[in-house]
């Protein structure tokens, strides 16, 4: 009654909603003692009093936000740990109110104080040294908390999920920044921690706000196909139930449809139209099985179903024998159901299903000191800390390395002695070599995979047996960085190359001093700047490196110094050319695209110093944003993968942009990809539609033909996405055309 009295004394019209939210949290904490609930109530009262009078942009009292975050922690993540509930309620108080960490420590203890301190550091900005990206440094701080106390990251994920759910009140530039961060880091992080439902909702919300038109198109198409598909799935499930009843197993069968973002992602990744995405749904069979019989029961179900329906052997995934690194366990197969349709089947037990849905909350339990009892997670956390604390990586590099380590779908290979080695998916032979030992990686020259000799860039597949071939003369090469996947291999190669470069530079420096000291000249002499121009070198290190690599004849050094001693000047044309090269070298990005006068940036001001990104070739009708690279404004589509990366790393340099009205006289470069039957006259038909009917100018055509099929890439000029859509519709109407889609790849 005390908590109700406290609330009823308030006069805010939102009081009932606040009380309902708080009671919902308390009711969900079924395994929590009365004394622990009293601690939660104290945290709630502190949070409400601290945020009194503060409103969100939507007009709601701010206290509803920490309450919503806490509901996500308790009801969606399934965590009833009193400390994390207290921290979720109080996660913003130290940053936004007069409450200090000492107050948290006094009321709720040291662990709560440490977690809230971690959350506050994440939200704040580091006032220390200048980073390549302040936001990347912010991410680095977030991620380092994983190894301190993973509850910091869980509260941050819940905070991000609620902010995404209430994104509608934000300005477009902030909205785009948040969606890019979500797709770049937070959704993969939720996936890595096994929080599948949170990961999928984050992806869908980010997609909805960043690409609203595409989101709505796919949502409508899924809605239309769902009714018809559900009838088919229900019929298929009846067949499964009949087949399994005779086995004596206790089971339930469910079906689910792919999320909007996952359908879109597959369309982009496989370059397919919506109509050719066939696995839009999956059937899940959940068994009530004792833990010691789980594997046998799952394989028994597979055996029964594979006798009834034809399985696709290429689509069998056994994550029961070897679970994913985030603890996920399940047996996946794809069966040909009635009418020849392929259906994905997931077979798992109740325990496995809990892990799949709740991830860390269902699988990893806290010890008293906040550490986690799971060998796979502990190993992964160790790798992450090694990456993030590496002093040779700046914040941007560290975050990129971390992102590569988020993928839980690892590949397992074997040494010739039968030892199993876990690697990132698509790892190369060289990644394997460095995993075994740095010396083996440094001296690797090839490998035998399943007794066949392969090169170092060979991509390993699950179950491969790998024997690395080495040579005492072997050493790391710069080109190796192009194909290694693991941060360990990349860092070992970079370390060697840095050391080698340093030695070559020092060797070059000693060679220079040996030659130049004959003329009383050293590296600090006034001649040095002209010396760099003479040899067309950007700086002394580059000059010494070239000298150490024997790319510069030392006699030329003597000739230059003798010329200066005689009072001769460096040729003015030569000096001008060197200065020009210096300017070009110092430009941070190459010029992108063309400069049409057709955009409005920022708060309505027209800016002419901008270009269109070649990576996505935006045209009027696309949702766009601007990126300030300190030389010019580069325009990207909001869904462009490069734009997402830029927004995640340089959010403060993102500028709102929209297309100006009345610019129909300006044409923009775009590309379409056409796939169809390779029939005589097909190219003429396509050019007739593009040039004669649509009256569009073609810049480039690339046609490839193989085994009766052709693939054509047409680069052309259009004035709006509507015009592009009309063109695509006309081409798709041709009888021999299978698909016609817009192509976003970089124009060469």
């Amino acid at each position: 009654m005390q908590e109700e009295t406290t609330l009823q004394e308030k006069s805010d019209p939102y009081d009932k909603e606040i009380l309902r939210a708080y009671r919902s949290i308390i009711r969900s904490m079924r395994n929590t003692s009365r004394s622990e609930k009293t601690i939660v109530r104290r945290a709630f009262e502190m949070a409400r009093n601290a945020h009194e009078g503060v409103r969100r942009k939507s007009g709601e009292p701010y206290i509803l936000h920490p309450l919503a975050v806490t509901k996500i922690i308790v009801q969606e993540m399934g965590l009833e740990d009193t400390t994390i509930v207290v921290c979720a309620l109080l996660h913003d108080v130290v940053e936004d109110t007069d409450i200090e960490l000492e107050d948290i420590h006094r009321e709720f203890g040291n662990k709560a104080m440490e977690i809230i301190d971690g959350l506050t550091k994440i939200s704040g900005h580091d006032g220390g040294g200048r980073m390549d990206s302040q936001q990347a440094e912010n991410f680095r701080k977030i991620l380092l908390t994983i190894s301190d106390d993973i509850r910091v990251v869980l509260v941050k994920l819940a905070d991000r999920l609620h902010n995404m759910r209430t994104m509608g009140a934000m300005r477009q530039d902030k909205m785009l920044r948040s969606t890019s961060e979500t797709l770049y880091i937070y959704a993969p992080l939720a996936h890595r921690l096994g929080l599948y439902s949170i990961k999928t909702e984050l992806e869908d919300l980010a997609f909805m706000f960043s690409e609203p038109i595409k989101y709505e198109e796919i949502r409508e198409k899924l809605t239309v196909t769902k009714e018809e598909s559900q009838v088919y799935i229900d019929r298929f499930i009846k067949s499964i139930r009949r087949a399994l009843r005779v086995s004596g197993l206790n089971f339930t069968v469910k079906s689910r449809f792919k999320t909007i973002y996952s359908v879109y992602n597959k369309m982009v990744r496989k370059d397919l139209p919506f109509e050719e995405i066939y696995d839009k749904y999956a059937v899940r069979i959940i068994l009530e099985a004792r833990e010691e019989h789980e594997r046998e029961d799952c394989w028994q179900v597979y055996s029964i179903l594979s006798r009834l329906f034809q399985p696709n052997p290429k689509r069998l995934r056994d994550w029961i024998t070897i679970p994913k690194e985030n603890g996920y366990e399940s047996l996946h197969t794809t069966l040909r159901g009635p009418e020849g349709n392929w259906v994905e089947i997931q077979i798992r037990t109740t325990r496995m299903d809990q892990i799949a849905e709740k991830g860390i909350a269902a699988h990893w339990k806290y010890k008293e000191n906040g550490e986690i009892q799971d060998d796979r997670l502990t190993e992964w956390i160790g790798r992450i800390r090694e990456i993030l604390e590496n002093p040779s990586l700046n914040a941007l590099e560290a975050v990129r390395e971390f992102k590569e380590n988020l993928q839980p779908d690892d590949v397992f290979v074997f040494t010739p002695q039968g030892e199993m080695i876990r690697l990132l998916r698509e790892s190369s032979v060289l990644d394997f070599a460095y995993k075994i030992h740095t010396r083996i990686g440094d001296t690797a020259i090839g490998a035998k995979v399943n007794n066949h000799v392969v090169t170092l860039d060979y991509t390993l597949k699950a179950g491969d047996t790998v024997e690395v071939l080495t040579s005492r003369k072997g050493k790391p090469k710069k080109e190796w960085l192009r194909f290694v996947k693991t941060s360990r291999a990349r860092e070992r190669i970079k370390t060697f190359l840095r050391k080698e470069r340093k030695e070559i530079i020092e060797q070059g420096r000693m060679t220079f001093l040996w030659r130049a000291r004959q003329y009383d000249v050293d590296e600090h002499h006034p001649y040095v700047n002209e010396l760099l121009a003479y040899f067309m070198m950007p700086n002394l290190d580059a000059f010494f490196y070239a000298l150490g690599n024997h790319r510069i004849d030392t006699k030329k050094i003597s000739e230059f110094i003798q010329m200066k001693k005689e009072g001769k000047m460096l040729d003015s044309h030569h000096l001008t050319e060197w200065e020009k090269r210096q300017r070009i070298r110092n430009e941070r990005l190459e010029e992108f695209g063309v400069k049409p006068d057709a955009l409005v940036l920022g708060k309505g001001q027209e800016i002419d110093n901008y270009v269109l990104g070649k990576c996505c070739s935006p045209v009027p009708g696309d949702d766009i944003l601007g990126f300030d690279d300190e030389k010019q404004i580069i325009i990207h589509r909001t869904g462009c993968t490069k734009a997402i990366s830029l927004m995640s790393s340089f959010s403060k340099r993102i500028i709102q942009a929209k297309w100006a009205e009345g610019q129909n006289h300006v044409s923009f470069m775009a590309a379409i990809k056409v796939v169809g039957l390779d029939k005589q006259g097909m190219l003429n038909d396509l050019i007739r539609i593009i040039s004669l009917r649509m009256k569009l100018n073609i810049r480039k055509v690339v046609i490839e033909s193989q085994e009766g099929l052709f693939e054509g890439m047409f680069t052309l000029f259009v004035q709006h996405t509507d015009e592009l859509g009309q063109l695509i519709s006309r081409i798709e109407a041709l009888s021999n055309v299978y698909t016609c889609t817009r192509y976003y790849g970089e124009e060469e």
Side-chain angles (χ1 to χ4, degrees), residues 469-737:
L469 305 175
T470 62
S471 168
R472 282 182 296 176
K473 295 181 180 179
K475 66 176 185 177
K477 300 174 180 61
K478 191 174 181 179
E479 53 265 29
W480 286 6
L481 293 170
R482 293 203 308 267
F483 57 80
V484 290
K485 287 286 290 181
T486 59
S487 58
R488 178 187 176 90
R490 187 178 293 107
E491 186 53 35
R492 298 300 186 273
I493 295 166
K494 285 182 178 179
T495 298
F496 179 90
L497 294 176
R498 280 194 294 266
K499 182 181 176 184
E500 183 183 55
R501 179 178 176 81
K502 191 174 179 181
E503 290 171 353
I504 292 172
I505 288 172
E506 183 58 24
Q507 186 179 336
R509 178 174 167 276
M510 297 307 295
T511 302
F512 170 75
L513 292 176
W514 169 77
R515 175 66 71 168
R517 275 177 179 163
Q518 301 174 41
Y519 304 93
D520 296 323
V521 172
D522 63 14
E523 62 211 275
H524 306 295
H525 197 279
Y527 288 167
V528 167
N529 201 47
E530 282 189 73
L531 176 75
L532 295 177
Y534 182 77
F535 287 101
M536 287 293 181
M537 290 292 166
N539 52 51
L540 265 176
D541 274 359
F543 171 70
F544 291 151
Y545 185 74
L547 194 58
N549 265 329
H550 310 292
R551 295 206 302 265
I552 291 177
D553 187 348
T554 55
K555 291 179 181 177
K556 294 257 182 209
I557 298 172
S558 299
E559 289 174 8
F560 168 79
I561 296 175
Q562 191 63 44
M563 178 190 77
K564 293 302 297 177
K565 291 282 186 183
E566 294 171 2
K568 295 178 182 177
M569 300 295 294
L570 195 63
D571 180 79
S572 60
H573 175 74
H574 189 95
L575 186 59
T576 302
E577 178 63 24
W578 177 73
E579 289 171 346
K580 178 184 173 184
R581 290 190 187 185
Q582 290 291 75
R583 285 196 304 272
I584 292 172
R585 181 181 180 278
N586 292 332
E587 286 180 3
R588 299 187 66 253
L589 293 170
E590 293 181 358
E591 186 175 300
F592 285 78
V594 293
K595 296 184 180 180
D597 300 322
L599 291 173
V600 178
L601 301 177
K603 297 178 180 178
Q605 73 269 29
E606 293 191 7
I607 299 175
D608 57 4
N609 185 27
Y610 63 83
V611 292
L612 302 182
K614 280 185 178 180
C615 48
C616 56
S617 302
V619 302
D622 289 329
D623 291 326
I624 55 172
L625 57 87
F627 173 69
D628 182 0
D629 80 339
E630 298 177 352
K631 300 286 184 183
Q632 59 196 355
I633 308 298
I634 303 168
I635 304 302
H636 293 275
R637 288 174 47 254
T638 56
C640 167
T641 53
K642 180 157 189 160
I644 290 172
S645 177
L646 288 171
M647 285 188 285
S648 298
S649 303
F650 302 97
S651 63
K652 291 191 179 296
R653 285 154 61 184
I654 298 300
I655 298 171
Q656 283 183 277
K658 65 178 182 178
W659 298 102
E661 301 293 334
Q663 292 291 337
N664 295 334
H665 61 285
V666 182
S667 292
F668 299 80
M669 197 182 301
I672 58 171
K673 182 178 179 181
V674 185
V675 178
L677 287 174
D678 187 14
K679 297 292 185 181
Q680 187 173 2
M682 174 58 76
L683 181 58
N684 286 336
D685 291 343
L686 293 170
I687 291 176
R688 191 178 300 114
I689 290 175
I690 297 169
S691 297
L692 299 181
R693 292 191 193 173
M694 297 292 295
K695 296 185 170 29
L696 300 176
N697 291 326
I698 300 175
R699 177 177 174 179
K700 187 170 77 169
V701 178
V702 178
I703 297 286
E704 291 184 1
S705 178
Q706 190 174 7
E707 297 180 356
L709 288 176
F710 84 92
E711 180 178 285
M713 202 74 70
F714 294 81
T715 305
L716 36 84
F717 292 94
V718 298
Q719 294 179 355
H720 197 277
T721 52
D722 292 345
E723 193 170 41
L724 198 58
Q726 188 181 354
L727 171 65
I728 288 171
S729 296
R730 288 190 174 187
I731 290 176
E732 283 189 326
L734 292 173
S735 58
N736 291 323
V737 169

Side-chain angles (χ1 to χ4, degrees), residues 307-324:
R307 287 198 297 269
L308 189 62
F309 304 103
Q310 178 192 342
N312 183 340
K314 293 181 180 179
R315 298 287 296 165
L316 179 63
R317 300 289 183 269
D318 177 11
W319 286 305
I320 295 176
T321 306
I322 304 175
K324 289 187 182 182

Side-chain angles (χ1 to χ4, degrees), residues 413-417 421 423 428-458 460 464-471 480:
V413 295
F414 297 90
T415 67
Q417 293 75 36
I421 303 293
L423 291 166
S428 66
V429 161
L430 194 56
D431 290 299
F432 174 88
Y434 276 107
K435 178 83 171 183
I436 300 300
H437 196 280
T438 299
R439 181 177 52 79
I440 292 175
D442 285 348
T443 57
I445 56 172
K448 286 183 181 178
V449 175
N450 306 325
N451 291 319
H452 295 286
V453 176
V454 298
T455 55
L456 291 174
D457 60 352
Y458 178 85
L460 296 173
D464 282 345
T465 298
V466 188
E467 178 187 355
V468 181
L469 305 175
T470 62
S471 168
W480 286 6

Side-chain angles (χ1 to χ4, degrees), residues 232-233 236-237 239-240 243-244 278-279 281-285 301-316 331-347:
Y232 175 84
I233 285 294
F236 184 48
I237 285 175
S239 303
I240 290 174
L244 294 182
Y278 297 116
D279 56 342
Y281 39 73
V283 171
R284 184 175 300 162
I285 300 167
V301 170
Y302 172 79
S303 177
I304 292 168
L305 296 182
S306 61
R307 287 198 297 269
L308 189 62
F309 304 103
Q310 178 192 342
N312 183 340
K314 293 181 180 179
R315 298 287 296 165
L316 179 63
L331 187 62
H332 289 200
T333 185
T334 302
L335 303 177
R336 190 185 290 278
E339 302 167 22
N341 294 331
W342 290 103
V343 180
E344 181 185 317
I345 308 293
Q346 301 169 356
I347 305 167

